[in-house]
């Protein structure tokens, strides 16, 4: 085992330990019932310490997302309850995108080689999808709630997609879901369950929105091929008349 592998394993072990400690200490607070009970106390504290709460919340959200810890959905609701729709969307959008990119980079530079060797055959379709559709492929995955976001972060880290493209496409693709959850947070007391936030109709709308860019891209490519084909026929006909 070479020095590089030992360092990588040490980093992974460290991240797992940090994640385990954080979840063991704060996991009980990452529940809908808890933040509903403490909503008034949270809002009062935020009113007195706005900057501290905003900065702490932002950093906490980045850490939760980067370490793929449970609780991002609850924190998004809390952002709506504390900060309101506009500020909540801005904070969550940037924090979630930064955290996702950190997870992406960990998967690429620390876990990439070992995961590629172990799951290379299973990752083949994803690699082919990224090579074929590029950024549209990631955008579509971000818009479909059936794909766990933490898994997307890891899998995309094993592709050829650049970190910059991953960041801005993720931020754009996650924006619609962020708005929905932050808005739900502004009505926190009325929420019965997390599952109730994403209705079947809303999920269908997200899927349609995600598939649309791919469908549009394929339609444009088809039309371009048809135009080139028709142009070729026209040129051949003109040559034949000559």
């Amino acid at each position: 085992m070479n020095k590089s592998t030992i360092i990588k394993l040490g980093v992974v072990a460290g991240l797992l330990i940090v994640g385990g400690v954080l979840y063991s200490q704060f996991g009980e607070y990452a529940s809908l019932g808890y933040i509903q009970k403490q909503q008034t106390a949270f809002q009062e504290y935020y009113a007195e310490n706005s900057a501290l709460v905003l900065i702490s919340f932002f950093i906490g959200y980045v850490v939760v997302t980067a370490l793929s810890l449970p609780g991002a959905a609850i924190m998004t609701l809390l952002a709506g309850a504390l900060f309101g729709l506009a500020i909540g969307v801005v904070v969550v959008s940037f924090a979630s995108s930064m955290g996702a990119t950190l997870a992406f980079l960990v998967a690429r530079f620390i876990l990439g080689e070992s995961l590629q060797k172990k799951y290379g055959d299973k990752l083949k379709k994803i690699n082919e999808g990224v090579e074929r559709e590029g950024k549209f492929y990631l955008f579509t995955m971000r818009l479909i709630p059936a794909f766990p976001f933490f898994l997307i972060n890891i899998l995309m880290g094993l592709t050829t997609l650049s970190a910059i493209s991953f960041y801005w496409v993720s931020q754009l693709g996650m924006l619609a879901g962020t708005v929905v959850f932050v808005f739900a947070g502004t009505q926190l007391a009325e929420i019965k369950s997390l599952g109730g936030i994403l209705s079947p109709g809303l999920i269908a709308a997200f899927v349609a929105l995600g598939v649309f860019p791919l469908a549009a891209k394929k339609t444009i490519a088809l039309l371009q091929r048809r135009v080139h084909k028709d142009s070729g026929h026209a040129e051949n006909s003109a040559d034949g008349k000559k």
Side-chain angles (χ1 to χ4, degrees), residues 12-81:
V12 172
L15 291 174
L16 290 174
I17 291 171
V18 171
V21 170
L22 288 174
Y23 188 69
S24 66
Q25 294 294 319
F26 303 105
E28 62 182 297
Y29 305 122
S31 68
L32 179 60
Y34 179 81
I35 65 170
Q36 286 176 324
K37 289 179 182 178
Q38 300 298 325
Q39 181 179 359
T40 302
F42 286 147
Q43 289 172 330
E44 290 176 354
Y45 189 78
Y46 172 61
E48 297 173 1
N49 307 273
S50 300
L52 175 62
V53 172
L54 274 169
I55 294 171
S56 300
F57 184 92
F58 187 92
I59 294 173
Y61 203 110
V62 171
V63 171
V64 166
T65 310
L67 296 178
S68 303
L69 297 174
I74 295 298
M75 291 188 72
T76 306
L77 294 177
L78 184 57

Side-chain angles (χ1 to χ4, degrees), residues 39-40 102 108 190 211:
Q39 181 179 359
T40 302
L102 288 174
R108 170 162 295 180
E190 300 175 14
V211 171

Side-chain angles (χ1 to χ4, degrees), residues 100-129:
T101 303
L102 288 174
F104 168 94
L105 293 173
V106 168
R108 170 162 295 180
F109 294 110
I110 298 178
L111 303 176
E113 187 176 345
S114 59
L115 290 178
Q116 283 284 6
K117 288 180 180 178
K118 190 172 183 179
Y119 301 108
D121 54 335
K122 296 179 181 179
L123 293 169
K124 186 178 179 181
K125 289 185 178 180
I126 294 176
N127 281 313
E128 289 175 350

